[in-house]
Amino acid sequence: MRFATRAIHAGQDPDPTTGATIIPISQSSTFTQAAPGVHKGFEYSRSGNPTRAALETALASLEGVGHGLAFASGLAAENAVFSLLATGDHVIAAEDLYGGTVRLLETTVRTRGVDVTYVDGTDPEAFEAAVTPRTRLVWVETPSNPLLHLTDIAAVAEIAHASGAALAVDNTFATPYLQQPVALGADIVVHSTTKYIGGHSDAVGGAVLTDDDELFDRLRFYQNAAGGIPGPFDSWLILRGLKTLAVRMREHEKNARVLAAHLSAAEGVDMVHFPGLPSHPQARLASRQMSGPGGMVSLRLAGGKPAARRFLLALRVFSLAESLGGVESLACYPSEMTHAWLPEDERERRGIGGGLVRLSVGIEDVEDLIADVDRALAAARAG
Ligand SMILES: *Cc1c(COP(=O)(O)O)cnc(C)c1O
């Protein structure tokens, strides 16, 4: 079956006991056994729950892999992957990462004696140069936040595998609708299902997907042992959102293309970052490893921080908020929100200065989004 069909049907057969067409919310912590050890596959909801199992099967199907595990958040999912590392191991990570990923690496991972090296994610040779005999894991996020830089997944997978390391890809921005990292050579895919997969900004969740039986056994052991699982209701919300992933992504992308082109020609905008623009420095890689550029657009305002603040305060349809990937349009100010943790000179070096605004383009009517950014740009220039 094709993608949109699997999003609606994989793991989602009608309930055998009642015929319920939609996976029920199995709001039960425990499951009655006919005799000790004789049960229908579920014993206790930390170890396994029918609603969560449906979500895990559906997500694995969409990433084209055999195994899926759902977690209570994207970071809980990441922590499961980092649990594979032991003292003395080495991780290579792209430097353009979700802030929470860096915080997790720098606090809980590094403090247990795991070494972490950050490299330029756009340069496969930088990964190769960073490899040591202790390298066990390579971690990338593509497209990256907030500049929409890309990592060549196939090239980095080859480098990781040549040194016996696994490649994990945070696929939150692209979603499996646009990019399937395992087909490109990655070993593990991680999602914050809070974002596009849930799609309605109403639940926090995460997932780890893999086709590797041994990695899966270790990750599933960790999921049960550490217990960072989503509850049945959140699993159900994310599964409900997932059903419309294909149609939502098409609309996000259509609107993002129009908005990116409009902003590129707008007065007061210095630069637009969007993998679907011919001016994107990795436009060819984007068309090779993604089936579309997605719905995230960043712009740099010529007037710097004062202009960006006027722009953000004048928006009416876009909400000023962290997070992304919901049906509603959101605007975020990385230098004071998602990337406030970086020292200012480091933000400037990376191009995340005071003029940068990140847009999560929703699926409202695009005319309203254009009118909104035009009003905000006029306000930004008026200062
Ligand atoms: C939000 C996000 C995360 C963290 O996920 P949570 O669900 O917030 O824990 C990780 N990676 C990326 C790319 C994200 O956008």
Side-chain angles (χ1 to χ4, degrees):
M1 285 191 290
R2 304 267 190 137
F3 189 93
T5 312
R6 282 182 277 130
I8 294 167
H9 294 288
Q12 301 167 75
D13 289 338
D15 182 53
T17 54
T18 64
T21 308
I22 298 305
I23 293 290
I25 304 169
S26 290
Q27 196 72 47
S28 184
S29 59
T30 190
F31 298 84
T32 300
Q33 309 195 2
V38 181
H39 54 72
K40 296 176 173 163
F42 299 98
E43 299 159 86
Y44 183 66
S45 277
R46 172 166 29 74
S47 324
N49 170 279
T51 315
R52 190 175 96 219
L55 173 64
E56 292 173 334
T57 303
L59 286 170
S61 170
L62 294 186
E63 284 288 357
V65 300
H67 308 293
L69 292 165
F71 289 87
S73 67
L75 286 176
E78 295 186 15
N79 205 38
V81 177
F82 296 144
S83 80
L84 300 167
L85 300 165
T87 302
D89 287 350
H90 175 236
V91 184
I92 304 172
E95 67 182 359
D96 246 358
L97 291 182
Y98 178 72
T101 306
V102 177
R103 182 173 57 202
L104 189 60
L105 284 168
E106 290 303 309
T107 55
T108 70
V109 178
R110 205 188 274 282
T111 52
R112 51 169 210 272
V114 173
D115 200 16
V116 187
T117 305
Y118 298 94
V119 300
D120 175 356
T122 64
D123 178 11
E125 283 173 18
F127 288 87
E128 189 149 33
V131 168
T132 78
R134 318 280 330 221
T135 305
R136 294 285 173 274
L137 181 69
V138 178
W139 183 280
V140 306
E141 188 183 313
T142 178
S144 73
N145 177 25
L147 296 176
L148 292 318
H149 288 157
L150 307 186
T151 298
D152 186 333
I153 296 172
V156 174
E158 209 170 293
I159 291 161
H161 295 160
S163 62
L167 172 64
V169 176
D170 183 336
N171 204 25
T172 299
F173 272 41
T175 83
Y177 181 68
L178 298 177
Q179 172 174 279
Q180 292 164 13
V182 171
L184 295 164
D187 303 282
I188 296 170
V189 174
V190 172
H191 281 285
S192 168
T193 55
T194 313
K195 315 292 169 53
Y196 284 109
I197 285 181
H200 296 74
S201 306
D202 54 10
V204 172
V208 180
L209 299 312
T210 184
D211 214 27
D212 183 307
D213 296 341
E214 196 226 309
L215 283 175
F216 172 67
D217 284 343
R218 293 170 66 193
L219 291 162
R220 185 177 54 179
F221 179 87
Y222 176 86
Q223 183 198 42
N224 181 48
I229 47 129
F233 184 54
D234 280 359
S235 298
W236 186 86
L237 281 173
I238 291 162
L239 188 61
R240 182 169 71 158
L242 182 66
K243 289 174 191 282
T244 55
L245 181 63
V247 65
R248 283 187 286 108
M249 290 312 291
R250 287 196 285 267
E251 291 297 306
H252 281 297
E253 185 168 310
K254 205 166 74 187
N255 284 357
R257 281 186 190 279
V258 173
L259 214 61
H262 182 78
L263 289 167
S264 299
E267 203 187 322
V269 178
D270 247 3
M271 173 144 32
V272 176
H273 302 276
F274 180 61
L277 286 174
S279 60
H280 189 283
Q282 298 165 291
R284 284 180 55 199
L285 175 60
S287 55
R288 196 164 77 233
Q289 77 179 11
M290 302 174 74
S291 57
M296 300 298 296
V297 177
S298 295
L299 61 144
R300 199 175 70 206
L301 289 154
K305 179 172 172 170
R309 291 191 72 93
R310 288 193 296 272
F311 177 87
L312 292 165
L313 294 178
L315 290 169
R316 293 287 175 269
V317 180
F318 281 84
S319 299
L320 177 61
E322 298 210 2
S323 200
L324 60 111
V327 291
E328 64 289 314
S329 291
L330 301 178
C332 158
Y333 190 45
S335 64
E336 289 182 16
M337 294 166 69
T338 54
H339 289 68
W341 53 277
L342 270 177
E344 191 179 347
D345 55 338
E346 182 63 15
R347 281 201 299 269
E348 291 294 338
R349 184 185 73 78
R350 294 197 195 176
I352 315 174
L356 192 80
V357 171
R358 186 192 78 182
L359 302 177
S360 172
V361 181
I363 64 171
E364 300 95 337
D365 285 303
V366 75
E367 294 79 2
D368 293 324
L369 301 182
I370 288 179
D372 203 36
V373 298
D374 280 350
R375 172 180 40 242
L377 285 171
R381 288 191 302 265

